[in-house]
Structures are given as C-alpha cells and as structure tokens.
Amino acid sequence: MSAAFRLPLQVFYEREARHPQQRFLVQPCGGGKVQELNWADVARQVRSAAQWLRERQLPPGSRIAIIGKNSAHWIIADLAIWMAGHVSVPLYPNLTAESVAQVLEHSESALVFIGKLDAWPEMAAGVRPGLPTISLPLAPKGRFDFCWDDLQRCQPLAESPCPAAEQLATIIYTSGTTGMPKGVMHSFANLGFAASHGVDLFGLGPDDRLLSYLPLCHVAERMFVEMAAIYTGQTVFFAESLDTFLVDLRRARPTAMFGVPRIWTKFQMGVYSKMPARRLDFLLGLPFIGKRVGHKVLAGLGLDALRVALSGAAPVPQALLHWYQRLGLDVLEVYGMTENCGYSHIGRSGEYAPGWIGRPCPEVQVRIDESGEVQVRSGAVMQGYYKDPQKTAETVTEDGFLRTGDKGEQDAAGNLRLTGRLKEIFKTSKGKYVAPAPIEIRLAEHAHIEQVCVVGDGLSAPLGLCVLSAAGQRAAGGSTREDLHSSLEGLLAQVNGRLDKHERLHRLVVVKDSWAVENGFLTPTLKIKRNVIESTYGGSFQAWSEREEVVLWQD
C-alpha cells in the first residue's frame, strides 16, 4: 500500500509514536471545565478498552454499537472496537426506542457503548434485555452492565493490530427521509482512501483545530472530524450543548469547519438579531471599514480563524454564500453521500461559480447517465448495504459506479451542478414534472425564511410551504407583519419570474409548526422529510390551492 493511501489504525499508531504528548481531544466536562487528552492518553485508553473487548472472546468482526452524542470517548470507543477486530455501528443520539431496536436487531450488535445522551430513559427500551451495555464517561445515570473504568483496569493491548484493507470497519445506518434506514458497509480501505485524499485538498496539519458538533454517527462528521484529525493530527474540540455552542465555538476558534446550510444560516440570523441586515450591509460596503467590520462579525462568532469552511448535506442558497464572502470567509460547497464516505465533489477557493458545487475530488470518476443521474466511482464507494444484496445491486452498477439519485450536469471543467432529486421530482395534474430543490433554494434566500418545502404532486400548480426564522416570527407577531407579508409576496413574484410556466408556485403558505428533528419533520442531519410534511399538510393542499391570496398564513 502506498504512503498516499494508509489505513486509519496505521496512521493512529504513527501519531501515537511520533508526538504522544501533543493535544488531541478537548472535552468540556461542565461548569466551564475541560479535559485535555493527548495522543498518548487516547492510545492508552483505546488499548485498554480493546484488550477488554478481546477478553469477551466475541467472534471476529462482531458488531458493536455506539449510542451517544459527540465526545472524546465516542472516538476512543470507535478506535477500540477496530483495534479489537470488530465492526462499529454508530446510532444517532436522538432516535426513538423503536428505531434503536431496529438498528440493534438488524446489525446483530453484540455489545452497546452508551455515551452522553439527553433522553436515555426513552431510548433505553430499545436495547433488548440481555444485550450488554457499557457506559462511557458523561453517560446518563442508569443501570449498565459495565462502566468505562472496568475497561480501563485492563492491561493495555501491547500489539498494534492492522486489519486488512477490505475488512469491514463500520456500518453506518442512513438517517433516511423515508422508511427503514439502510446499513451502509464501509471497509478500512474506503475510509482510508477518502481520508488520505481528502486531507490533501486542504493542507491541514497538527496546528489546526476542529469543533465537533454535528452527529459523529453521520458520515460527514466521521470523515471531516474523526478521520481528518487522525490523518492530520489536528486538535478536536467538542461542543458541550446547544446552549453553550457559541461559547464552545469561541473557545475552539476552529481553523476548519464543516456545517450544514441550516447551521450557516443560524449564524447569519444570530448576527442579524444584534445588527439589522440593512445596517450591516451598509457597513460592509464602506471602503476600508467594511473589511474590519466583516472580521469583527466573524470574531464575534468564533469564526475569525477559519481557513477551511465547508457546507454540505443539502443545497445552500447562493445569497448566503455571498454574504459570507462579504465578511471575508469563503464557504465552499461539498457534495457526497454516506455511500461514498461523503467524498465526491468540492468547491475550490478562487474557483467559485454561482450555482455550481465544484470539481470532483481526486481519484473520483463521474458520469451523467441518460436520465440525467449523477453517477460516481472511486475507492470510497461502499461495499454495499448490510444484508441487502438486492438494494446494493440497484444502487451500485456492475462497473462500480454509485447511483446517487441526484440529477445534475457538468461543465467543460468538470464542475457539477445539481438540478434535483430523481425521486423528489413530482408531476402536477397537468402532467408536467417539477424538481422542487432548485425552487426551494431560491425561496430560502429570504432573510426571514428558515425552511422550505415545495409540494405539488397531483395539484394544478406547486405550493411553497415555509417556516419562518425566529426574526421572521417576531415580525409576524408584531406591527411589521404587513411589511413581512408584502415582502413574501415580492419574493414569490421574483422567484416565479425566473421559473418556467409549469414550475411557478401558485401560493406561498406560512405554516405555524416548527420543523425539527424532535417532532419528526427533519432527519438528524436537518434534511426535511417530505413524506412527513406531505402527510401532515396534505389534507389542506387542495383548499390552499383554491384560495385567492398569494401568501397564506396557516390558521
């Protein structure tokens, strides 16, 4: 295996030997206190836990689950599972008991690590009786079969086992916008390929800092935080809670950060809550002063040290990218899937073209089939779906290309633009097909709209359903509601003016509900669940279509 393509544990052992005293993981412990772990600390804990797991005498390649919010010991447990010769199965920390039971049963997990959780009593019912549980530091109070101290009493594993490249490393269950999640199987070669090539794109190293806050069980955080830190030697800071997020961000002052569009939008809304958008826009436009204002805004967010800022998991409004550019920060778009370790396309600094994501990552082949579907092939493409060869055959072509399910187009330089999801495209009652995603991106550019879903299957014309931001809700509940209403009417006219006739929205509906992970409207990665939205509001679609108002407010 070439030096350019090393496996995760190989790199971990190199870090352990090369700079054992260098800081690796920084974990907040409450009350403003933090625990700093260097590479030697982490290696010692990993090796003791791996020895304990070996002493369980489980069959090689047994599945071991991790349920917990991001923490230093989430990563330590993951590495220990690998070092012991087993397969890690991460679960989202906010699943229902039913979903927990589904994943644990489907994966046939033999043990479960329980980490930091907010709603463990509700989730605990999903762990079947007799399935051994191990509590990690920061785990909630409860009855567990073993605790982390039990594992740490073991003599650290002396050897440094290196699993085979094609050995299964992890099964990542997709959050899924519909139905039962699928178990994506990734080998050590998949992870090593994506991490080795990915970190070369950014020139990051031991002096860089990351903040881990998106779920580590999701492929993006797993690759951009856990794998990237191992391959570059970066320090990983963890966020303590939603309430302390900005404090955690300022403490870390990350030099590299991955976020979903909603996170970048929330940063913007937080700025606007302290300074009106018009005033900030005016100040940013002033010669000499504008640059200092932009830096001050970024410093207030804890983003002033950022060298690499990425956005992925969903399309990001172009106006939002432009806003950050004016502050002095290039937020680059990333495109990928769980099925290819999130490693597919990325924008490059200085090459930004509105509407285009960017060129393929190194060693990624791309083709657009006759239906317009984007298909990619690389060493990061999964081994398949766990226990589902039929779904695997439907998703990976015979010549190894991953069917993404996204429609798109490439320019002469290989830059990719997405034009919609094949399965999300709907047909109106007039027989015309509409791709909702591009329309949603345009609507989301409004400063007071936080979430959008365009629907229209079987309707004479599409409808736009939207949730207001916190600032928008304040405006709607006060004396400025009339101004907001007029602004939304103007938005609809502007967006429709750029659409083909059959795509134009009939109405814009402001719904009163909040769309969140907790109430089932969003996936854990903050993508809207269209089936939930359609089932919740579907009974009103026809009545809304028949109303005369251009902008409707849900009663």
Side-chain angles (χ1 to χ4, degrees):
M1 182 162 298
S2 70
F5 182 32
R6 297 166 298 160
L7 300 178
L9 284 181
Q10 289 177 317
V11 184
F12 179 74
Y13 299 140
E14 291 172 14
R15 297 256 168 236
E16 175 191 19
R18 190 189 313 163
H19 41 222
Q21 300 308 311
Q22 182 174 301
R23 185 176 63 176
F24 179 18
L25 305 176
V26 181
Q27 175 65 56
C29 303
K33 297 179 181 178
V34 297
Q35 178 187 21
E36 293 194 358
L37 299 171
N38 60 33
W39 286 89
D41 297 328
V42 171
R44 184 174 57 254
Q45 293 194 38
V46 169
R47 289 178 176 279
S48 291
Q51 178 62 36
W52 185 91
L53 289 171
R54 279 198 172 185
E55 291 175 3
R56 301 309 100 194
Q57 297 187 331
L58 298 170
S62 292
R63 274 74 60 208
I64 299 178
I66 307 174
I67 309 176
K69 298 173 76 174
N70 298 12
S71 71
H73 286 86
W74 196 107
I75 290 177
I76 292 171
D78 195 27
L79 292 167
I81 291 167
W82 290 347
M83 200 178 287
H86 300 306
V87 178
S88 60
V89 181
L91 279 73
Y92 281 97
N94 50 9
L95 294 178
T96 63
E98 180 183 7
S99 295
V100 169
Q102 279 182 333
V103 173
L104 293 180
E105 180 181 355
H106 188 262
S107 65
E108 300 177 77
S109 289
L111 294 169
V112 186
F113 282 102
I114 305 298
K116 183 180 175 182
L117 290 167
D118 294 330
W120 171 240
E122 291 82 357
M123 300 176 74
V127 180
R128 66 180 182 274
L131 180 59
T133 54
I134 308 157
S135 64
L136 295 172
L138 304 180
K141 292 180 180 179
R143 298 182 62 183
F144 303 101
D145 298 292
F146 305 97
C147 71
W148 189 246
D149 288 343
D150 296 329
L151 280 62
Q152 293 305 297
R153 280 191 281 269
C154 282
Q155 189 70 21
L157 189 68
E159 61 191 285
S160 297
C162 285
E166 295 308 317
Q167 185 172 323
L168 182 60
T170 189
I171 303 174
I172 304 176
Y173 280 83
T174 59
S175 55
T177 53
T178 60
M180 168 69 188
K182 302 182 290 291
V184 176
M185 298 188 294
H186 277 305
S187 67
F188 287 103
N190 293 147
L191 300 178
F193 176 91
S196 293
H197 292 296
V199 297
D200 287 343
L201 285 166
F202 307 117
L204 297 171
D207 294 330
D208 284 294
R209 301 178 299 277
L210 299 167
L211 178 69
S212 179
Y213 66 101
L214 294 173
L216 266 169
C217 53
H218 186 264
V219 72
E221 193 81 350
R222 194 87 170 279
M223 297 306 300
F224 192 74
V225 171
E226 182 183 11
M227 288 296 99
I230 290 172
Y231 277 75
T232 64
Q234 297 172 87
T235 300
V236 179
F237 292 76
F238 293 90
E240 183 172 1
S241 68
L242 203 57
D243 293 336
T244 66
F245 180 75
L246 277 179
V247 174
D248 297 324
L249 191 59
R250 293 187 190 112
R251 172 169 48 84
R253 287 187 70 240
T255 58
M257 187 169 178
F258 176 89
V260 296
R262 196 175 176 205
I263 294 293
W264 296 109
T265 300
K266 280 191 172 294
F267 287 152
Q268 182 191 50
M269 296 302 172
V271 172
Y272 284 161
S273 69
K274 297 178 180 179
M275 180 185 293
R278 285 184 180 178
R279 175 163 175 74
L280 178 60
D281 184 63
F282 170 74
L283 292 173
L284 290 174
L286 294 175
F288 309 113
I289 296 175
K291 189 173 182 179
R292 285 164 49 196
V293 169
H295 183 80
K296 190 172 181 179
V297 169
L298 291 174
L301 293 169
L303 302 178
D304 54 314
L306 269 188
R307 294 194 296 112
V308 178
L310 305 178
S311 182
V316 58
Q318 299 303 307
L320 185 63
L321 295 177
H322 180 65
W323 186 79
Y324 279 101
Q325 287 172 347
R326 296 192 71 201
L327 295 181
L329 180 64
D330 270 338
V331 178
L332 306 175
E333 285 199 81
V334 178
Y335 171 65
M337 301 171 63
T338 305
E339 287 82 350
N340 61 4
C341 296
Y343 184 79
S344 180
H345 289 73
I346 187 167
R348 269 74 162 183
S349 186
E351 296 183 14
Y352 172 72
W356 296 84
I357 295 169
R359 292 185 282 116
C361 295
E363 304 294 324
V364 173
Q365 295 174 276
V366 186
R367 69 186 184 195
I368 311 291
D369 80 349
E370 61 277 2
S371 70
E373 182 183 37
V374 179
Q375 299 182 359
V376 295
R377 181 171 65 184
S378 75
V381 172
M382 66 175 179
Q383 291 183 323
Y385 293 118
Y386 189 55
K387 296 182 180 177
D388 200 341
Q390 181 179 342
K391 181 64 71 173
T392 299
E394 292 172 2
T395 307
V396 181
T397 65
E398 290 186 3
D399 56 351
F401 277 84
L402 175 67
R403 301 179 189 273
T404 66
D406 287 311
K407 293 192 71 172
E409 57 190 29
Q410 295 186 95
D411 66 10
N415 290 298
L416 178 69
R417 171 163 56 196
L418 299 182
T419 57
R421 286 285 295 172
L422 289 174
K423 292 182 180 178
E424 289 175 357
I425 293 174
F426 57 79
K427 186 192 288 186
T428 66
S429 61
K430 297 177 181 178
K432 296 288 188 178
Y433 287 98
V434 176
I439 306 173
E440 290 165 351
I441 293 172
R442 291 173 179 173
L443 290 172
E445 292 184 357
H446 192 282
H448 286 333
I449 291 180
E450 186 164 302
Q451 296 156 313
V452 185
C453 183
V454 171
V455 299
D457 191 33
L459 299 176
S460 60
L463 297 172
L465 278 56
C466 65
V467 173
L468 296 177
S469 66
Q473 290 171 17
R474 288 194 295 271
S479 59
T480 56
R481 174 164 175 159
E482 193 172 315
D483 292 338
L484 176 58
H485 188 97
S486 297
S487 174
L488 293 175
E489 287 181 337
L491 170 72
L492 189 59
Q494 180 186 11
V495 170
N496 278 342
R498 297 160 62 189
L499 298 175
D500 291 336
K501 189 174 181 180
H502 69 278
E503 298 176 308
R504 292 172 186 164
L505 301 176
H506 205 45
R507 304 278 182 270
L508 193 62
V509 182
V510 180
V511 300
K512 61 183 180 182
D513 302 303
S514 171
W515 295 347
V517 175
E518 293 73 21
N519 60 13
F521 281 96
L522 303 181
T523 71
T525 52
L526 308 182
K527 295 177 184 175
I528 57 173
K529 293 185 178 180
R530 294 182 186 276
N531 61 322
V532 173
I533 289 171
E534 289 176 356
S535 64
T536 301
Y537 306 107
S540 301
F541 287 172
Q542 193 59 46
W544 287 340
S545 295
E546 292 171 358
R547 294 271 293 274
E548 292 184 3
E549 304 97 318
V550 173
V551 175
L552 305 177
W553 299 76
Q554 186 189 14
D555 297 328

